[in-house]
Each structure stands twice: as C-alpha cells, then as structure tokens.
Amino acid sequence: MDAPSPMETDTTIVSEVDTAIIPQTDTAHVQETEAAVLPETDAAVIPETEHAIIPETELAIIPDTELAIIPETDHANIPETDDALIPETDMDFAPDSDMAIVPATPATPLDNEQPGSETQPNKRRRKKSIVWEHFTVETVGPGHTRACCKQCKKSFAYITGSKLAGTSHLKRHIALGICPVSRQRSQPLATYTPASKSAGAYGSATDPPKRRYRTTPAIANVPLDQERCSLEIAKMIIMHEYPLHIVEHPGFIEFVRTLNPHYNMVSFNTVQGDCVALYLREKQRLLNLISTIPGRVNLTLDLRTSNQNLGYVFLTGHFIDSDWKVHRHILNVVMVPYPDSDNAFNQAVVACLSDWNLEGRLFTLTVDQSFSSEAVIANVRGLTSVKNPQLLNGQILIGSCYAHLLSGLAQDAFGSMVDTIKKIRDSVKYVKTSEAHEEKFDELKQQLQVPSTKDLLIDDQMRWDTTYHMLVAASELKEVFACFDASDPDYKLTPSMDDWKQVETLCSYLKILFDAANILTGPTYPTASTFFHEVSKLQLDLTHAATSQDPFVSNLIRPLQEKFDKYWRGCCLILAVAVVMDPRFKMKLVEFSFSRIFGEDAETWIGLVDDGIRELFLDYFSPILPLPEAPMENGTESIIKSELPNEGMPQEGVSHEELPHDGTVISFGDGLSDFDVYISEITSGQQTKSELDQYLEESLLPRVQDFDLLGWWKLNNLKYPILSKMAADVLSIPISIVDPGAVFDTQSKKIDGYRSSLRPVTLEALVCAKNWLQSGSSETSNAFVKAEV
C-alpha cells in the first residue's frame, strides 16, 4: 500500500482537533481528542517514553462483522471456535499487515440489524463490537459517517471515505469514564479492560500474546441455603458481640438484601433462638469432653457488676484432658441479685457443679480478695472434693488473683509519683498532639544523635502497661526533652534531672512486674509449675529492694513488698506442690527457694510442702487401693497365720509350735517357711514404697529450655498411674481469673446496659458460646473423646 501524502494524511483525520501527540499516562484517561485516527504512516508522533512506536501492522482494521471483541481480561467468555492466541493490543481486532482498510458499516446503520448468513464464513457467527451497545451510527454526508454516544449524544469520527477510524476511541469514551453521563451512572464497559500499565496505552509490540480462557460464573447456580445463612448470622453476632437487634437495623437489612435479595431476614426472636440453640449444641460437646477427663476440674470465680448493681459471676473451668492438653472454658455466667452477700459465690458454684455434673470433682477454687471476704471464702471452701479442706494450710482455695495483684502493685507505684508522671505525660502529649512539634522534636533528636529506637506514645490510663512503655520511651529521650525548650519556646514542661532519675528507677522495678504479668498473656495458659519460680523470684527481689539503703527506693518498694508478701504466704505451698510435679525440679527447687526466702524458718515451710503433697497423694490413692485398716508392726504382717480348725488338735503332716492362748500357730510346712517369711518381708518392704516416693527418689532431668512437661507426664502415665492423675489436677490450677487480654487492665470489667437488659439465659449463651467457638472446642472435641493412654 502506498503511503498517503501529507495532504492526504491531514484529510484522513476526521476529528474536531488536529492529531495530538499521545502522552504517556498510567491512568489511561485519554481525552476525547484522542478520537483522531492514526494514519498508516508514522505521521502520529509517539513520545519516547512509550514502549514502542505503534507498528503499521496495528493499523489494519478488520470489520466488526468479522471478529468479536476479545476483552483484555481472563474472565471473558471466548467462543469455542476461538482457541487461538489473541495478541494483547489496544485495538479490537487481530492485526494483519496485508489487509486493506475495509469499512465496517452495515448496509443500513441500525444498531439492532443482524448481518446475513452469507457474511459468516465460520460455523458460529461472531459477535460484533460491544461499543455498538452504547453508540449509534449516523450518516452526516456522502461517505462521511460518525458514531453518536447514546448517553451524552456526542459524536465521534467513524468513516470518512475509505478511511475507517475504528472503535478504540469509542471504547475509551465509555470504559475510562470520559463520558460524563456514564461516569455519573458508574456503568463502565463491563467486558472491556484497558491495556495494562506496563504496556502503555496501546500495548507493546514486544509483549508476548496471552491465552484467553473460557470461564463460567462459579457461584451463579449455588442455591440459597436459608438455614445456613441464619446460622452464620447467629455465629457472627456471637463472635463479634453485635446486638441481637442488628437483624432489625435497616442498614444491615439492606446490605443483606444487596447480597441476596431472596434471603428472608430473621427476626429478633428467631436469631435469639438460633444463638441459644448454638450454645446448647456446643455445651453438649463440652459436656462430652469433660466426662472423659481422668481427673478433676479447677474453677475460677470472677464477679462483674452492671449499672443496676446486679452481679454476674463468671465461672471458668480449668482442666487437663486424657491427651494431656490444657483446657480453659467459661462454664457458666450466673446472675446474682445481691453480689455483696456472703453466699453469692456459694450459690453460683453449686449451680455450676450441678450443671456440669462436677459434684465430687472440684479440686481448687480461685477467687479475688477485692470482691471476697473471709465469710465468702469460708462458705465456698467446703465445696471442694479434697477430704481435708485445711490441706496445705487451706491453700486449696486461692484467695487472690495474680493479675489483679500485679496491676494493683503497679498502680500503687504510679501513685507514689503522681506529679512526676503527670509532668512526663504532659510533655509527651505536647509533642505527639502537634505535627509541627513532633517534627521539631525529631529534628532535635537527630541533631543530638540520641540512639533511642522507641517511639513516644500517649498512655491509656486504663492499662498500666501503656504507662510503663510511655515512661520507658520518654526516659530514653530525656536529653531531647531537656533541650526542646530551646527549639520551641512555648514548651515549658521540662522535667528536671531528678525527675528523670526517679522515673528510671521506677521503670526498673516496673519491668519486673511487667515481665511477671506478661506470662499470662500467651495464647495458651501456662501450667501452675511455671509460677513458683516467677513468684518466688519476685518475692525475693521486692524484699531486697524494700531494705535498700536508697531512701527513694525503699520508700517506693516497701508498701509493694508488704502487699506481695501477704499474697506469697497465701499461695506458696500450692505453687510448691505444682513445681514438685516437674521432674526437672521436684523438691530440690522448693528447698533452694525457701532457704533464700524464709531463712531459718525454711525447714518448717519445706516440711509443710512435704506433708501436704503426701496427704494429697493419699487422697488420690485411697479410692483406688484402700490401705490396711490395722497395719502390722515390724513387718510381721507377712507371716502366714491361720486359725486352728480344731483347737488343740495338730494338723496332719504339719509340725507346729502351739501358742497356748491365742489359738494360732506359725506354719513351718516343709522346712522352707523361713525362706517364705524372708521373701515376704522383702516384698513387703518394696510395696510400701509408693509411686510418689519412687518419683521423688529418681534423679532430676536435665533442665532444658523447651522441655514439654505435659508431654513427659503423658509418656510416663503408665509408670505413675495414680501420681499422673494428681499431677494433671495440680498442674492445671489457675492463679489468675482474668482473660489474657485483660491482664494489664486497671479496672474490673462491667456488664454494659445492653447485655444486662438481656435475659440471664441469653447472656450466658452469648458469652459461653463465644468462648467455646474461639477455643475451638467444637472442632477438637471428637479428638479428646478417647480412653486414657
């Protein structure tokens, strides 16, 4: 084909403006002036930033009636006969350099006209360009045809003489939002995707062709499951604590109707019933799990109140299953009208034991002294299954929550330095609440080359760990604060060097509390043996600090040490029993720690642990193998005694020595009776060594970091069948009553007005079901229903 002359080139461009240089654009928002058609020559200038000059082969246009538009998406439906690779170009059609430009106008320019069968060389007629759903063809003169947008009524060049403008500029007008009406209606061309960003607006001649795959909607024919959808709504409400009335909110109803107009939204009563039904289903699964555990259950009691001064007792069960996995589940939420009464907890515990068939299976109780009194503790102490309620000085009932204790100590420490901490907090607020102040602060930090990597933060006074982190970060930037008033004359809150020194001292002791509390925030609840070393170490550190020669340190720590010492003496024995169940420590760590803490009184406390653990073992041993009612003296119980069948008459074939008064004889038999007595004495001596004695006499295991304590007991379950049951109950004793996310809270949780307005059974169902679904008990319960190994 001969290239047209420059004059011919200008006449072939039918547009309201002259040919424009196509700029490089990533957003592909090409103005309507791009309707100009590139001539077959290189008259159109392509900027150097484009990938390549459009080759002449891309100018050949195949009429719309020949090829269907292949959109540049992988989701377009390709006719079965189109299995060829389609090059990825900006034009609608496959280029062919040998093809002449053939106008693609129908005989009569009507949108709905269908071409005749003689125009279809293939078996299946190909679709024409989709742009004609949005444009009409209008003849404006002899050999001059324009395309008119149906929405904005603007016309574009289409055919001038023998020159065909194509449809790419028409697609851009609709698909890229150039059409103002289309943009307002947000109705982009559904089956058209502009060229990729990497290929530029017209694609790249070097890009490899992409194969188009035929796809079908994946969920178009999925039937609506009304029951399943209602169950998922109930689960959503439970898991995210949405109000039950959400199903009546117009916004939520409209949202669901948008997803599926055929779904019938459930009512408040229906979704409430669905939540309770889900709770009952999960409760039955948890009941089946608890019925298979070999040991007992430990309970924690947490009291929350509402604005109406109603009490809600949260009872959480802690136990180890037959597969030696630790479980922690909220069992009940019991509403008590009078939370200040002495028998409020007693009623809640009795209801829980009856509800879960735990009569005679409750091992320990953990409450908190902040909402319990001596009368309350005395009432619930007798509910445990231990025969001797005063075992281990009564520590079978733990009267304080470890997390609450640490939180109280931290708040006491903050209270002793209120003015200094407020000055630090105000300084941090001054920097963090203004971008200009923060920029000046960062510039000064760089100038002073302060090596701190911590970011300043404003603390949340409802969580004491955030105050600790704020003080630590501010302390590391104390030089910047000291010089900040020179950079910002409005800053007049500079703490003194004595203030910073006191804050650093405070942070050093807060770190001990923070590390101790951080153990409780893990994804799995630690065994009770973990806490003996941590609590004893904290007791030792506070005792030493309280006797410091520095008056500031001693005055700061002494009140904390007195409060912690009371807690230590109230739980050290039960924690010591727990650490004895660790084969890496046994009684040795107890002896070592008590000697450092109690000094001369250590032997007394060690004796209490030794006596307590043996008495507790007998509590497990007795139901399985009763001990003799009257033990014999000096091992003579193994001597074979028999009653004379006829008093005064010797047995035939048996020589005997008559005992004149008690009517019994010692049988000698064939002369080896002495040997039998000897063997019996040896055997008797071996039988008196219990599993506990054998366990304690064995050497300690190496102290490795990743030791699996529960795994060890699982492997030695057959070796210590009785002691292992005791170990499972002791190791699952909880010393904290709060959830991991509330360990650092400074205030107890309250029941909000909405939840207190619900019926008690509904509130219990929502709280418990969420806990069970989060812990995955419904998914794993089948794995735990198996016999003890």
Side-chain angles (χ1 to χ4, degrees):
M1 178 185 298
D2 296 332
S5 64
M7 287 298 294
E8 182 181 358
T9 302
D10 292 339
T11 59
T12 60
I13 301 174
V14 184
S15 176
E16 298 174 6
V17 296
D18 291 337
T19 305
I21 296 176
I22 299 177
Q24 181 183 11
T25 171
D26 290 338
T27 59
H29 288 285
V30 183
Q31 300 296 326
E32 295 179 11
T33 57
E34 292 179 10
V37 180
L38 292 177
E40 297 181 38
T41 66
D42 293 333
V45 179
I46 309 299
E48 294 180 1
T49 56
E50 291 293 343
H51 291 280
I53 297 177
I54 299 176
E56 294 182 3
T57 57
E58 294 185 4
L59 300 177
I61 309 298
I62 299 175
D64 288 347
T65 57
E66 291 298 323
L67 291 175
I69 295 176
I70 307 300
E72 294 188 23
T73 65
D74 291 335
H75 302 288
N77 292 329
I78 311 299
E80 295 181 359
T81 56
D82 287 344
D83 291 329
L85 295 175
I86 308 301
E88 187 176 14
T89 67
D90 189 66
M91 303 301 290
D92 305 355
F93 316 103
D96 190 347
S97 59
D98 295 307
M99 255 184 214
I101 299 178
V102 181
T105 57
T108 303
L110 297 176
D111 288 329
N112 57 357
E113 181 177 346
Q114 301 297 332
S117 60
E118 65 274 6
T119 64
Q120 304 180 43
N122 295 332
K123 295 181 179 180
R124 293 184 61 182
R125 177 178 60 82
R126 300 177 184 271
K127 297 178 182 179
K128 67 177 184 177
S129 175
I130 198 171
V131 300
W132 300 119
E133 295 180 5
H134 303 271
F135 288 87
T136 59
V137 179
E138 299 178 352
T139 302
V140 297
H144 188 184
T145 304
R146 294 181 69 82
C148 181
C149 178
K150 293 180 181 181
Q151 302 183 68
C152 67
K153 306 304 181 183
K154 190 165 186 176
S155 63
F156 299 87
Y158 185 48
I159 298 175
T160 303
S162 62
K163 302 300 181 182
L164 179 66
T167 58
S168 296
H169 61 299
L170 306 182
K171 291 179 183 176
R172 288 193 292 268
H173 178 73
I174 297 297
L176 302 183
I178 298 173
C179 176
V181 179
S182 175
R183 183 168 59 247
Q184 291 175 2
R185 295 180 181 177
S186 300
Q187 294 177 346
L189 197 60
T191 56
Y192 172 74
T193 302
S196 63
K197 178 177 178 180
S198 60
Y202 287 90
S204 174
T206 60
D207 289 343
K210 292 184 178 180
R211 182 178 297 275
R212 305 296 199 258
Y213 295 94
R214 185 182 298 107
T215 59
T216 57
I219 60 173
N221 298 323
V222 176
L224 173 65
D225 189 339
Q226 177 79 22
E227 184 177 353
R228 173 67 182 276
C229 293
S230 300
L231 176 63
E232 291 301 324
I233 289 179
K235 190 179 296 185
M236 175 194 73
I237 291 174
I238 291 172
M239 293 298 295
H240 302 287
E241 299 185 6
Y242 295 142
L244 293 171
H245 289 285
I246 192 174
V247 296
E248 298 176 348
H249 294 175
F252 182 72
I253 295 174
E254 189 63 27
F255 169 71
V256 175
R257 183 178 291 116
T258 303
L259 296 178
N260 194 318
H262 302 291
Y263 176 72
N264 296 322
M265 179 56 67
V266 294
S267 65
F268 171 85
N269 291 332
T270 301
V271 75
Q272 180 177 240
D274 291 341
C275 291
V276 173
L278 180 61
Y279 155 77
L280 293 175
R281 185 191 70 186
E282 298 300 317
K283 180 178 181 179
Q284 185 59 49
R285 293 180 178 179
L286 187 56
L287 268 170
N288 295 339
L289 170 61
I290 293 178
S291 65
T292 65
I293 63 174
R296 306 172 186 177
V297 175
N298 302 282
L299 281 183
T300 62
L301 281 71
D302 186 15
L303 178 65
R304 304 179 189 180
T305 57
S306 66
N307 295 330
Q308 294 82 13
N309 198 30
L310 296 175
Y312 294 85
V313 181
F314 284 61
L315 297 102
T316 304
H318 300 250
F319 58 89
I320 293 177
D321 63 27
S322 57
D323 200 35
W324 287 88
K325 303 294 183 183
V326 179
H327 289 262
R328 177 180 184 177
H329 303 290
I330 298 178
L331 300 182
N332 291 95
V333 179
V334 181
M335 192 270 287
V336 288
Y338 306 102
D340 298 329
S341 64
D342 294 340
N343 60 351
F345 281 176
N346 194 73
Q347 296 173 358
V349 173
V350 170
C352 178
L353 297 180
S354 175
D355 197 18
W356 293 89
N357 301 323
L358 295 177
E359 292 88 347
R361 300 183 65 190
L362 176 61
F363 185 47
T364 65
L365 277 168
T366 303
V367 297
D368 189 67
Q369 62 182 3
S370 61
F371 49 77
S372 62
S373 62
E374 292 297 330
V376 171
I377 294 178
N379 286 336
V380 298
R381 190 183 300 277
L383 297 175
T384 63
S385 61
V386 178
K387 293 181 178 180
N388 179 12
Q390 297 302 319
L391 178 68
L392 297 170
N393 282 359
Q395 292 185 17
I396 209 70
L397 189 145
I398 301 175
S400 295
C401 170
Y402 187 51
H404 285 170
L405 172 72
L406 297 177
S407 179
L409 295 179
Q411 292 179 76
D412 290 346
F414 293 146
S416 64
M417 296 179 58
V418 174
D419 295 336
T420 303
I421 293 176
K422 184 179 184 302
K423 192 180 297 185
I424 302 294
R425 183 181 292 117
D426 292 342
S427 296
V428 174
K429 284 183 179 180
Y430 183 85
V431 174
K432 296 297 293 183
T433 55
S434 170
E435 293 184 1
H437 297 166
E438 191 167 9
E439 289 178 0
K440 290 181 181 180
F441 191 86
D442 291 338
E443 291 176 0
L444 184 59
K445 175 184 174 182
Q446 294 178 0
Q447 293 176 5
L448 297 176
Q449 297 181 351
V450 177
S452 174
T453 58
K454 298 185 180 298
D455 295 328
L456 288 176
L457 58 90
I458 303 175
D459 66 327
D460 177 5
Q461 298 184 47
M462 301 294 291
R463 291 179 57 90
W464 68 267
D465 61 320
T466 61
T467 305
Y468 162 68
H469 289 306
M470 179 191 71
L471 296 177
V472 171
S475 297
E476 294 187 1
L477 297 169
K478 61 180 180 293
E479 291 124 351
V480 185
F481 280 107
C483 302
F484 191 49
D485 56 349
S487 300
D488 190 342
D490 295 332
Y491 175 69
K492 304 183 183 302
L493 303 170
T494 307
S496 65
M497 294 309 297
D498 288 340
D499 292 337
W500 288 118
K501 183 179 179 180
Q502 292 178 0
V503 168
E504 290 176 346
T505 302
L506 172 64
C507 289
S508 65
Y509 289 100
L510 286 176
K511 185 180 186 305
I512 300 175
L513 302 180
F514 175 79
D515 293 340
N518 205 40
I519 300 176
L520 298 169
T521 62
T524 58
Y525 195 81
T527 59
S529 60
T530 305
F531 295 103
F532 177 80
H533 176 64
E534 296 296 330
V535 175
S536 62
K537 180 177 179 298
L538 186 54
Q539 165 72 4
L540 201 60
D541 291 341
L542 293 178
T543 301
H544 289 166
T547 58
S548 172
Q549 298 299 321
D550 187 339
F552 173 77
V553 174
S554 59
N555 292 333
L556 173 68
I557 302 300
R558 187 178 297 111
L560 310 185
Q561 192 274 333
E562 291 174 357
K563 182 181 292 187
F564 192 84
D565 183 71
K566 182 179 179 181
Y567 171 81
W568 163 255
R569 292 176 182 272
C571 69
C572 64
L573 297 181
I574 193 67
L575 295 181
V577 172
V579 82
V580 170
M581 296 294 100
D582 190 328
R584 297 171 298 171
F585 303 118
K586 299 182 181 179
M587 285 293 296
K588 300 303 180 183
L589 183 60
V590 175
E591 296 167 359
F592 172 77
S593 300
F594 279 11
S595 62
R596 300 175 66 190
I597 295 174
F598 295 111
E600 296 179 355
D601 297 331
E603 290 298 328
T604 302
W605 288 91
I606 294 173
L608 289 175
V609 174
D610 186 71
D611 294 341
I613 198 171
R614 294 182 182 279
E615 184 177 353
L616 185 61
F617 177 75
L618 290 178
D619 198 52
Y620 283 83
F621 184 80
S622 300
I624 301 174
L625 184 62
L627 294 177
E629 295 182 359
M632 298 296 179
E633 297 179 0
N634 301 325
T636 58
E637 67 276 11
S638 60
I639 301 178
I640 303 173
K641 295 185 177 182
S642 61
E643 294 289 339
L644 288 175
N646 295 301
E647 186 173 353
M649 296 296 295
Q651 289 183 300
E652 185 178 356
V654 178
S655 60
H656 62 277
E657 181 177 344
E658 183 177 354
L659 300 179
H661 300 292
D662 59 4
T664 61
V665 295
I666 300 178
S667 301
F668 296 98
D670 56 1
L672 292 177
S673 296
D674 291 339
F675 175 75
D676 293 337
V677 172
Y678 170 73
I679 294 299
S680 298
E681 290 177 348
I682 297 177
T683 305
S684 175
Q686 293 176 347
Q687 289 176 348
T688 57
K689 185 177 294 184
S690 66
E691 292 180 17
L692 178 62
D693 291 327
Q694 296 178 37
Y695 169 77
L696 294 176
E697 290 177 3
E698 290 181 354
S699 59
L700 301 180
L701 295 182
R703 190 167 58 87
V704 295
Q705 184 175 2
D706 298 328
F707 179 71
D708 184 3
L709 176 58
L710 298 182
W712 185 89
W713 277 106
K714 181 179 180 180
L715 292 175
N716 290 270
N717 190 27
L718 295 178
K719 183 177 181 181
Y720 304 110
I722 301 173
L723 186 62
S724 62
K725 292 181 180 181
M726 172 179 155
D729 294 344
V730 170
L731 294 177
S732 61
I733 294 175
I735 68 169
S736 173
I737 67 175
V738 301
D739 296 330
V743 169
F744 296 102
D745 289 356
T746 57
Q747 295 183 1
S748 300
K749 289 185 176 181
K750 296 183 70 70
I751 302 297
D752 57 45
Y754 165 71
R755 293 213 155 193
S756 62
S757 67
L758 298 173
R759 293 184 303 167
V761 63
T762 303
L763 175 60
E764 182 180 51
L766 294 175
V767 173
C768 293
K770 178 184 178 181
N771 176 262
W772 301 339
L773 291 173
Q774 284 181 333
S775 62
S777 62
S778 61
E779 298 177 358
T780 58
S781 59
N782 291 335
F784 299 127
V785 182
K786 55 187 177 180
E788 181 185 359
V789 177

